[in-house]
Amino acid sequence: MRKNVAFDSLPIVDRVYRGFKIASMAPAGSPLCVQTDGEVRYRQTASPFGVTEGTVLGTRQGRIAWICPEADFLRLSREVETVWGDRRLLTPGLIDCHTHIIYGGNRADEWEARLGGASYAEIANAGGGILSSVRSTRAASEEELVSSAGRRLSRLLHEGVTTIEIKSGYGLDLESELKMLRVAQVLRKSFMVGVDATLLAAHAIPSEFHGRIEEYVSLVCEEIIPAARPWCNAVDAFCEKIAFDRRQTEKILRTAKSLELKIKVHAEQLTHTGIAASAALMGALSVDHLEYLAEEECKVLAQCGTVAVLLPGAYYCLNEKQKPPVAALRQAGVPIAIASDSNPGSSPVLSLLTIGHMACTLFGLTPEEAFLGITRHAAVALGRGREIGTLLPGYYADLAVWDVERPAEILYGIGHNPCHEVYYRDQKRERT
């Protein structure tokens, strides 16, 4: 960094980013530069990925102040710290809006079983699957979970992630679910990353409640959700034949809403249940998976502003054949996000860039749609669409710098990480 000149006519900034190609991911017409008198001086042009060249980005107190043409910047006379881009690409920091990275043990044995022909449902019904991770997670100390989840988180951060959603759901009792949510908060304080914690106590029926599922639903609604409220941003549930039915899931989501928590749901992954449309009508931020979503339900998601979160890692790892109805989602105008679904069983993936590649190759998203899915649309899926995921004035200065010529190159390679450096709230994050 070195000193250079900055604006007299616009809000004062702490730092400017010069010499970058900037991919704002903002819609065409969005105001990029607003003068102190409120006049909009510069708007986002209609270009793929919102790319502009010859522009400067200014930041103040951890937020973006403006983006303006280099020519305007050079007319002004105040000194300001400068980060030089050397023609690298500057984008919003990435957002992984659906993960399960806190857990004990692993499930490599189940992977081997699936390769031998066992289905995900068969393994779950035999006491494996989620319940296997529950046993390991309950047995692990809080310190052990912080250590193992921290290693996984570090891998994601190296690829430009600046915000991550972390679910509980491998505790399935009050004490263990709260333990997982506390671990999520420790991770937030220990790493330069935004963490949205989600309660997923309705992930599976714990073994001690076998045959007493209604009792467990009551426990979730009457004890676990109220106790978890100070520790989480949202409540999620897994609606499926091997988990909770639509009526039980709706009861859980209504309870969360009554306590002013955001809601989301694992929906239509293995069978069609109708919960995606139902949850959207209840105000769900997102409905996730969606392999068996009916095409006519896409219009309901669009009307409700609910984000469709696609999880190609689980589709790939479970060797599924039914794809989400991407064309129908696109035609209806549903915002599509994608996420790693990083978990020990159905998606042991620690690369959001690989997930972006999979979304294009397996589901037919364009590179721009996939990148929107890990920036702007992922932010909306967390209820934070006015804070992160886009480079616009007032948004947090969560920035990723890439050694690429074109944005599509970010997702083009498998096993290749072109992330050069990351800034979280305008502070450079050192690699660990």
Side-chain angles (χ1 to χ4, degrees):
M1 299 181 184
R2 61 180 184 267
K3 297 289 185 179
N4 213 307
V5 294
F7 283 143
D8 288 331
S9 59
L10 288 175
I12 296 171
V13 293
D14 302 321
R15 180 178 292 128
V16 295
Y17 294 76
R18 290 184 63 189
F20 291 92
K21 290 174 283 185
I22 297 176
S24 74
M25 305 310 298
S30 300
L32 298 178
C33 186
V34 181
Q35 297 186 150
T36 51
D37 61 4
E39 179 184 350
V40 178
R41 185 179 181 90
Y42 185 54
R43 293 184 182 273
Q44 175 65 59
T45 57
S47 64
F49 297 86
V51 170
T52 59
E53 297 195 49
T55 50
V56 180
L57 183 148
T59 59
R60 180 169 175 78
Q61 296 179 350
R63 294 182 182 265
I64 297 166
W66 39 255
I67 301 173
C68 79
E70 178 86 10
D72 283 354
F73 174 80
L74 291 175
R75 296 192 186 101
L76 303 160
S77 60
R78 184 175 293 121
E79 288 191 347
V80 65
E81 189 175 43
T82 300
V83 178
W84 292 94
D86 298 323
R87 290 195 54 75
R88 293 185 176 93
L89 183 71
L90 183 70
T91 74
L94 305 188
I95 301 166
D96 197 347
C97 65
H98 181 133
T99 83
H100 308 252
I101 64 168
I102 300 171
Y103 56 85
N106 68 65
R107 282 156 46 197
D109 56 337
E110 295 179 11
W111 175 61
E112 289 185 280
R114 289 201 305 272
L115 293 175
S119 73
Y120 182 78
E122 287 169 343
I123 292 170
N125 289 330
I130 293 167
L131 294 183
S132 174
S133 292
V134 169
R135 291 189 291 271
S136 299
T137 304
R138 286 180 175 180
S141 69
E142 200 163 318
E143 292 73 20
E144 289 169 333
L145 292 176
V146 168
S147 177
S148 61
R151 291 193 295 271
R152 298 178 195 113
L153 179 57
S154 292
R155 293 284 299 275
L156 291 163
L157 299 189
H158 286 167
E159 292 190 344
V161 170
T162 53
T163 300
I164 185 169
E165 187 252 24
I166 302 176
K167 302 180 189 293
S168 66
Y170 294 125
L172 306 188
D173 61 32
L174 177 59
E175 179 183 351
S176 302
E177 287 291 302
L178 293 181
K179 176 175 69 173
M180 293 186 70
L181 294 174
R182 288 194 300 269
V183 169
Q185 297 306 321
V186 172
L187 295 174
R188 179 183 62 81
K189 294 175 182 178
S190 302
F191 294 83
M192 293 179 67
V193 64
V195 172
D196 275 32
T198 295
L199 176 71
L200 183 57
H203 199 190
I205 299 96
S207 56
E208 64 267 27
F209 280 86
H210 180 70
R212 299 186 294 131
I213 186 170
E214 295 296 340
E215 290 182 42
Y216 183 65
V217 171
S218 295
L219 176 68
V220 170
C221 293
E222 295 169 15
E223 296 187 33
I224 298 180
I225 295 177
R229 185 184 178 197
W231 298 95
C232 64
N233 305 94
V235 170
D236 196 347
F238 184 22
C239 184
E240 194 54 72
K241 288 182 178 179
I242 60 173
F244 301 88
D245 66 25
R246 178 172 167 179
R247 178 187 59 79
Q248 293 158 348
T249 302
E250 289 174 348
K251 178 179 179 180
I252 291 163
L253 298 182
R254 282 196 299 271
T255 298
K257 285 200 67 176
S258 72
L259 294 173
E260 300 183 334
L261 287 165
K262 301 169 186 174
I263 58 171
K264 54 186 69 174
V265 67
H266 286 57
E268 330 295 1
Q269 180 186 7
L270 305 176
T271 59
H272 178 262
T273 65
I275 191 61
S278 176
L281 291 168
M282 293 174 69
L285 290 175
S286 72
V287 289
D288 303 24
H289 283 292
L290 303 182
E291 281 84 342
Y292 287 84
L293 179 72
E295 291 190 5
E296 60 270 19
E297 292 171 331
C298 295
K299 294 180 181 179
V300 177
L301 305 191
Q303 291 165 359
C304 296
T306 299
V307 178
V309 178
L310 307 186
L311 306 172
Y315 172 88
Y316 168 81
C317 292
L318 295 178
N319 197 23
E320 296 290 344
K321 307 304 179 188
Q322 176 88 9
K323 296 182 180 181
V326 169
L329 290 167
R330 186 186 287 136
Q331 184 175 9
V334 179
I336 298 173
I338 57 176
S340 71
D341 190 21
S342 183
N343 74 73
S346 61
S347 187
V349 180
L350 291 171
S351 170
L352 192 55
L353 299 184
T354 298
I355 291 297
H357 181 100
M358 285 182 173
C360 298
T361 303
L362 299 178
F363 291 167
L365 271 66
T366 67
E368 184 175 20
E369 286 174 327
F371 204 72
L372 279 168
I374 53 178
T375 53
R376 189 171 93 211
H377 291 167
V380 178
L382 296 179
R384 303 184 62 194
R386 296 182 181 275
E387 295 181 326
I388 56 175
T390 312
L391 304 185
L392 285 174
Y395 284 54
Y396 283 114
D398 293 347
L399 313 170
V401 179
W402 308 91
D403 278 318
V404 298
E405 291 291 325
R406 301 169 56 246
E409 293 177 42
I410 297 172
L411 303 180
Y412 158 68
I414 297 177
H416 171 57
N417 179 13
C419 185
H420 176 72
E421 58 189 13
V422 178
Y423 292 81
Y424 176 70
R425 305 296 195 261
D426 202 25
Q427 298 301 308
K428 185 175 179 179
R429 189 167 69 198
E430 299 301 326
R431 288 184 177 267
T432 57

